[in-house]
Amino acid sequence: MSTQEVLEKQKKKLENQRSILLSQFNYCEDIETSMGALGDYLNQIKRIYFSYTRNENYITLIAERTKQKIDQQLNLLLNNLNKMILLKENYSEMNGKIIELNKENLEVGKRLKETFEVLKDVSLQTNILAINANIEAHRIGQQGTAFKVIATEVGKLSNLTSNSSKNITDTTSKLTVQTSEMTKILQDSNQTLSHVVQELEQEKGSFTSMFRDSEKIVNESIVLDETLKEIYDLIEKVSVMVEYNKISFANIKKILKDLLESTKEMLDDIYKELGIQRNSVQIFNTSNLYEQFYQNFKNENLEVCVLLLQNALEKGIEPTFLTTHILERTVETIGKEQIDRLVPLSEIYVNGKIIEACMNLLIPILEKESKSENLGSIIIGNAFGDYHALGRKIVVTFLRMAGFDVMDLGLSVPNEKFVAAVKEKNAKLVCVSALIIHTADEIKQLRTLLNENGLKQVKILVGGAPFNFEPRLVQAVNADAMAKNGVEAIKVAKELLGLIDRKEVY
């Protein structure tokens, strides 16, 4: 083997080694950034913990205060209940006395009536006597003056007796009626009090049960406080591990940087021996690249975004790394920011244009690495009502690179169109992208429609911010799995189609 051939062989090995080292360096840098973000999240959790707890037994204290309040209300209710029972007993006693009095009044009235009948007869006889005396006085003449006086007085006595008898009869009748009315009022009041006492008795049972439940809550709160302390201790331990890993990855980065420098020097020597003029490959800070790309993406600077990727490619960053760690990471972050707000169509349009321009730069390079084999047909599209094309376009590119025949149905795809495409292509997998929660609900209806059309064997792979934010949503919409990015979509698609063993449940 000639020296030229040896150098060429050595050059390829070193270039491959440089590419691997550079990729590892960039991954370490990305992990270091993620560790920093994780540390920030952990600190935020600790701040939330302290802002809500304020002391070590916060939940127990709240439960005990609630128990005390319930105890106070229960005692107040019991006091009021005892007062009402005593009042009811007094009313009952008073009512009994009035009933007895009413009976006595009726008896007195009966006797008075008998007496009044006698007085009535006396009055009548007295009146007759007065008339007779008056007649006798007229008959005798001058000597009958005394009879006349007697007749007059007897007549007055008769009238007085008759009037007094009538007044006493009326008064006795009124007294009897009033006593009966009072008896009825007292009976009604007593009945009302009985209902009130009965209701208070029922409330007493409810409050007593509530009090017992509050005791259980206090005991459970003690356990919860202890659990929260354990969680906080675990967060502290994880925080320490995160800091340790940040230091470890920083040290690994330093080692990789030294190896890259050594590899670069050896390559420069070989290039010199072979007479090759090459631009030196610089170690690129992907954290800064992501931050710059993300800010310019948010500011809708299409030209700057494309230029940043061009510069990264010229400095040796692999297109797959740029697609996954810069483009898709930006799309995921933007998606999380957009999930809770109404996004203008103009913003969606511009974001799509930026991704399209970036992919137009990267696709020709990525296609050189694509496989020619056909792994099967896949249908992909945005859920009905969803107009966010960013993530879907990247996933389409990666699936096609992997060797899948991908039919892209585009934005806001009706479920009927998905089903028709599955039948047309005899596809066994449907990929649905959804950036907002209410469009994610369409996937459940798609599953139903597929089943109704005899396509139960067709799998559904989902992706988008709602699923990244809440992975349990995958099961909620009856999907089979989710993928966070294009690289993961290839792996999960192969697993769902049985091309590789499925090692993870999504």
PDB file of all heavy atoms in Angstrom, residues 195-212:
ATOM      1  N   HIS A 195     -90.845  20.487  64.421  1.00  0.00           N
ATOM      2  CA  HIS A 195     -90.167  20.340  63.122  1.00  0.00           C
ATOM      3  C   HIS A 195     -88.745  20.903  63.177  1.00  0.00           C
ATOM      4  O   HIS A 195     -87.800  20.297  62.660  1.00  0.00           O
ATOM      5  CB  HIS A 195     -90.965  21.033  62.015  1.00  0.00           C
ATOM      6  CG  HIS A 195     -92.218  20.325  61.633  1.00  0.00           C
ATOM      7  ND1 HIS A 195     -92.263  18.988  61.321  1.00  0.00           N
ATOM      8  CD2 HIS A 195     -93.506  20.771  61.523  1.00  0.00           C
ATOM      9  CE1 HIS A 195     -93.494  18.626  61.031  1.00  0.00           C
ATOM     10  NE2 HIS A 195     -94.289  19.691  61.149  1.00  0.00           N
ATOM     11  N   VAL A 196     -88.625  22.099  63.794  1.00  0.00           N
ATOM     12  CA  VAL A 196     -87.301  22.734  63.902  1.00  0.00           C
ATOM     13  C   VAL A 196     -86.352  21.851  64.695  1.00  0.00           C
ATOM     14  O   VAL A 196     -85.192  21.632  64.312  1.00  0.00           O
ATOM     15  CB  VAL A 196     -87.420  24.129  64.558  1.00  0.00           C
ATOM     16  CG1 VAL A 196     -86.045  24.693  64.857  1.00  0.00           C
ATOM     17  CG2 VAL A 196     -88.197  25.075  63.639  1.00  0.00           C
ATOM     18  N   VAL A 197     -86.826  21.331  65.804  1.00  0.00           N
ATOM     19  CA  VAL A 197     -85.999  20.450  66.641  1.00  0.00           C
ATOM     20  C   VAL A 197     -85.598  19.197  65.860  1.00  0.00           C
ATOM     21  O   VAL A 197     -84.451  18.740  65.923  1.00  0.00           O
ATOM     22  CB  VAL A 197     -86.756  20.076  67.935  1.00  0.00           C
ATOM     23  CG1 VAL A 197     -86.030  18.965  68.684  1.00  0.00           C
ATOM     24  CG2 VAL A 197     -86.907  21.294  68.824  1.00  0.00           C
ATOM     25  N   GLN A 198     -86.548  18.658  65.094  1.00  0.00           N
ATOM     26  CA  GLN A 198     -86.260  17.466  64.287  1.00  0.00           C
ATOM     27  C   GLN A 198     -85.175  17.752  63.249  1.00  0.00           C
ATOM     28  O   GLN A 198     -84.248  16.955  63.065  1.00  0.00           O
ATOM     29  CB  GLN A 198     -87.548  17.001  63.599  1.00  0.00           C
ATOM     30  CG  GLN A 198     -87.408  15.653  62.902  1.00  0.00           C
ATOM     31  CD  GLN A 198     -88.727  15.196  62.296  1.00  0.00           C
ATOM     32  OE1 GLN A 198     -89.723  15.909  62.357  1.00  0.00           O
ATOM     33  NE2 GLN A 198     -88.732  14.010  61.741  1.00  0.00           N
ATOM     34  N   GLU A 199     -85.285  18.897  62.573  1.00  0.00           N
ATOM     35  CA  GLU A 199     -84.275  19.275  61.579  1.00  0.00           C
ATOM     36  C   GLU A 199     -82.911  19.500  62.235  1.00  0.00           C
ATOM     37  O   GLU A 199     -81.868  19.120  61.693  1.00  0.00           O
ATOM     38  CB  GLU A 199     -84.718  20.539  60.834  1.00  0.00           C
ATOM     39  CG  GLU A 199     -85.899  20.289  59.898  1.00  0.00           C
ATOM     40  CD  GLU A 199     -86.383  21.563  59.234  1.00  0.00           C
ATOM     41  OE1 GLU A 199     -85.783  22.626  59.509  1.00  0.00           O
ATOM     42  OE2 GLU A 199     -87.361  21.505  58.458  1.00  0.00           O
ATOM     43  N   LEU A 200     -82.934  20.150  63.418  1.00  0.00           N
ATOM     44  CA  LEU A 200     -81.668  20.368  64.131  1.00  0.00           C
ATOM     45  C   LEU A 200     -81.043  19.044  64.556  1.00  0.00           C
ATOM     46  O   LEU A 200     -79.816  18.894  64.553  1.00  0.00           O
ATOM     47  CB  LEU A 200     -81.909  21.260  65.354  1.00  0.00           C
ATOM     48  CG  LEU A 200     -82.142  22.758  65.066  1.00  0.00           C
ATOM     49  CD1 LEU A 200     -82.505  23.481  66.347  1.00  0.00           C
ATOM     50  CD2 LEU A 200     -80.913  23.398  64.433  1.00  0.00           C
ATOM     51  N   GLU A 201     -81.875  18.094  64.913  1.00  0.00           N
ATOM     52  CA  GLU A 201     -81.368  16.769  65.262  1.00  0.00           C
ATOM     53  C   GLU A 201     -80.659  16.130  64.063  1.00  0.00           C
ATOM     54  O   GLU A 201     -79.610  15.500  64.193  1.00  0.00           O
ATOM     55  CB  GLU A 201     -82.519  15.872  65.727  1.00  0.00           C
ATOM     56  CG  GLU A 201     -83.068  16.201  67.107  1.00  0.00           C
ATOM     57  CD  GLU A 201     -82.182  15.687  68.227  1.00  0.00           C
ATOM     58  OE1 GLU A 201     -81.134  15.097  67.924  1.00  0.00           O
ATOM     59  OE2 GLU A 201     -82.526  15.894  69.401  1.00  0.00           O
ATOM     60  N   GLN A 202     -81.278  16.312  62.880  1.00  0.00           N
ATOM     61  CA  GLN A 202     -80.660  15.786  61.663  1.00  0.00           C
ATOM     62  C   GLN A 202     -79.337  16.491  61.371  1.00  0.00           C
ATOM     63  O   GLN A 202     -78.340  15.856  61.005  1.00  0.00           O
ATOM     64  CB  GLN A 202     -81.624  15.936  60.482  1.00  0.00           C
ATOM     65  CG  GLN A 202     -82.852  15.040  60.586  1.00  0.00           C
ATOM     66  CD  GLN A 202     -83.845  15.322  59.465  1.00  0.00           C
ATOM     67  OE1 GLN A 202     -83.685  16.247  58.676  1.00  0.00           O
ATOM     68  NE2 GLN A 202     -84.888  14.501  59.392  1.00  0.00           N
ATOM     69  N   GLU A 203     -79.324  17.830  61.523  1.00  0.00           N
ATOM     70  CA  GLU A 203     -78.095  18.599  61.320  1.00  0.00           C
ATOM     71  C   GLU A 203     -77.022  18.173  62.313  1.00  0.00           C
ATOM     72  O   GLU A 203     -75.832  18.143  61.998  1.00  0.00           O
ATOM     73  CB  GLU A 203     -78.370  20.110  61.465  1.00  0.00           C
ATOM     74  CG  GLU A 203     -79.194  20.701  60.346  1.00  0.00           C
ATOM     75  CD  GLU A 203     -78.475  20.627  59.014  1.00  0.00           C
ATOM     76  OE1 GLU A 203     -77.235  20.777  58.991  1.00  0.00           O
ATOM     77  OE2 GLU A 203     -79.141  20.391  57.997  1.00  0.00           O
ATOM     78  N   LYS A 204     -77.471  17.863  63.512  1.00  0.00           N
ATOM     79  CA  LYS A 204     -76.534  17.397  64.533  1.00  0.00           C
ATOM     80  C   LYS A 204     -75.808  16.146  64.037  1.00  0.00           C
ATOM     81  O   LYS A 204     -74.582  16.014  64.182  1.00  0.00           O
ATOM     82  CB  LYS A 204     -77.298  17.109  65.824  1.00  0.00           C
ATOM     83  CG  LYS A 204     -76.443  16.473  66.916  1.00  0.00           C
ATOM     84  CD  LYS A 204     -77.315  16.061  68.093  1.00  0.00           C
ATOM     85  CE  LYS A 204     -76.539  15.229  69.105  1.00  0.00           C
ATOM     86  NZ  LYS A 204     -77.381  14.757  70.214  1.00  0.00           N
ATOM     87  N   GLY A 205     -76.570  15.229  63.437  1.00  0.00           N
ATOM     88  CA  GLY A 205     -75.960  14.016  62.894  1.00  0.00           C
ATOM     89  C   GLY A 205     -74.961  14.328  61.795  1.00  0.00           C
ATOM     90  O   GLY A 205     -73.862  13.752  61.742  1.00  0.00           O
ATOM     91  N   SER A 206     -75.325  15.273  60.907  1.00  0.00           N
ATOM     92  CA  SER A 206     -74.428  15.655  59.813  1.00  0.00           C
ATOM     93  C   SER A 206     -73.150  16.278  60.344  1.00  0.00           C
ATOM     94  O   SER A 206     -72.041  15.953  59.897  1.00  0.00           O
ATOM     95  CB  SER A 206     -75.141  16.627  58.863  1.00  0.00           C
ATOM     96  OG  SER A 206     -76.287  16.047  58.302  1.00  0.00           O
ATOM     97  N   PHE A 207     -73.295  17.204  61.307  1.00  0.00           N
ATOM     98  CA  PHE A 207     -72.124  17.860  61.871  1.00  0.00           C
ATOM     99  C   PHE A 207     -71.238  16.866  62.630  1.00  0.00           C
ATOM    100  O   PHE A 207     -70.016  16.951  62.590  1.00  0.00           O
ATOM    101  CB  PHE A 207     -72.553  19.004  62.807  1.00  0.00           C
ATOM    102  CG  PHE A 207     -72.665  20.327  62.114  1.00  0.00           C
ATOM    103  CD1 PHE A 207     -73.873  20.749  61.576  1.00  0.00           C
ATOM    104  CD2 PHE A 207     -71.560  21.148  61.976  1.00  0.00           C
ATOM    105  CE1 PHE A 207     -73.980  21.960  60.927  1.00  0.00           C
ATOM    106  CE2 PHE A 207     -71.662  22.364  61.335  1.00  0.00           C
ATOM    107  CZ  PHE A 207     -72.866  22.780  60.804  1.00  0.00           C
ATOM    108  N   THR A 208     -71.885  15.934  63.323  1.00  0.00           N
ATOM    109  CA  THR A 208     -71.113  14.923  64.054  1.00  0.00           C
ATOM    110  C   THR A 208     -70.308  14.069  63.082  1.00  0.00           C
ATOM    111  O   THR A 208     -69.125  13.785  63.298  1.00  0.00           O
ATOM    112  CB  THR A 208     -72.056  14.031  64.885  1.00  0.00           C
ATOM    113  OG1 THR A 208     -72.836  14.848  65.762  1.00  0.00           O
ATOM    114  CG2 THR A 208     -71.272  13.025  65.700  1.00  0.00           C
ATOM    115  N   SER A 209     -70.961  13.675  61.968  1.00  0.00           N
ATOM    116  CA  SER A 209     -70.269  12.897  60.938  1.00  0.00           C
ATOM    117  C   SER A 209     -69.133  13.715  60.323  1.00  0.00           C
ATOM    118  O   SER A 209     -68.035  13.208  60.077  1.00  0.00           O
ATOM    119  CB  SER A 209     -71.270  12.473  59.858  1.00  0.00           C
ATOM    120  OG  SER A 209     -70.615  11.809  58.811  1.00  0.00           O
ATOM    121  N   MET A 210     -69.413  15.015  60.082  1.00  0.00           N
ATOM    122  CA  MET A 210     -68.393  15.901  59.521  1.00  0.00           C
ATOM    123  C   MET A 210     -67.206  16.026  60.474  1.00  0.00           C
ATOM    124  O   MET A 210     -66.045  16.040  60.061  1.00  0.00           O
ATOM    125  CB  MET A 210     -69.006  17.281  59.237  1.00  0.00           C
ATOM    126  CG  MET A 210     -68.145  18.170  58.356  1.00  0.00           C
ATOM    127  SD  MET A 210     -68.886  19.806  58.150  1.00  0.00           S
ATOM    128  CE  MET A 210     -70.451  19.378  57.400  1.00  0.00           C
ATOM    129  N   PHE A 211     -67.513  16.108  61.759  1.00  0.00           N
ATOM    130  CA  PHE A 211     -66.455  16.228  62.759  1.00  0.00           C
ATOM    131  C   PHE A 211     -65.570  14.976  62.754  1.00  0.00           C
ATOM    132  O   PHE A 211     -64.343  15.067  62.810  1.00  0.00           O
ATOM    133  CB  PHE A 211     -67.070  16.445  64.140  1.00  0.00           C
ATOM    134  CG  PHE A 211     -66.067  16.605  65.245  1.00  0.00           C
ATOM    135  CD1 PHE A 211     -65.367  17.791  65.395  1.00  0.00           C
ATOM    136  CD2 PHE A 211     -65.811  15.563  66.122  1.00  0.00           C
ATOM    137  CE1 PHE A 211     -64.431  17.929  66.402  1.00  0.00           C
ATOM    138  CE2 PHE A 211     -64.888  15.692  67.130  1.00  0.00           C
ATOM    139  CZ  PHE A 211     -64.189  16.880  67.275  1.00  0.00           C
ATOM    140  N   ARG A 212     -66.218  13.802  62.666  1.00  0.00           N
ATOM    141  CA  ARG A 212     -65.438  12.561  62.615  1.00  0.00           C
ATOM    142  C   ARG A 212     -64.581  12.504  61.358  1.00  0.00           C
ATOM    143  O   ARG A 212     -63.421  12.077  61.395  1.00  0.00           O
ATOM    144  CB  ARG A 212     -66.385  11.355  62.661  1.00  0.00           C
ATOM    145  CG  ARG A 212     -67.057  11.155  64.024  1.00  0.00           C
ATOM    146  CD  ARG A 212     -68.127  10.099  63.939  1.00  0.00           C
ATOM    147  NE  ARG A 212     -68.841   9.961  65.215  1.00  0.00           N
ATOM    148  CZ  ARG A 212     -70.016   9.372  65.335  1.00  0.00           C
ATOM    149  NH1 ARG A 212     -70.617   8.857  64.256  1.00  0.00           N
ATOM    150  NH2 ARG A 212     -70.603   9.281  66.512  1.00  0.00           N
TER     151      ARG A 212
END
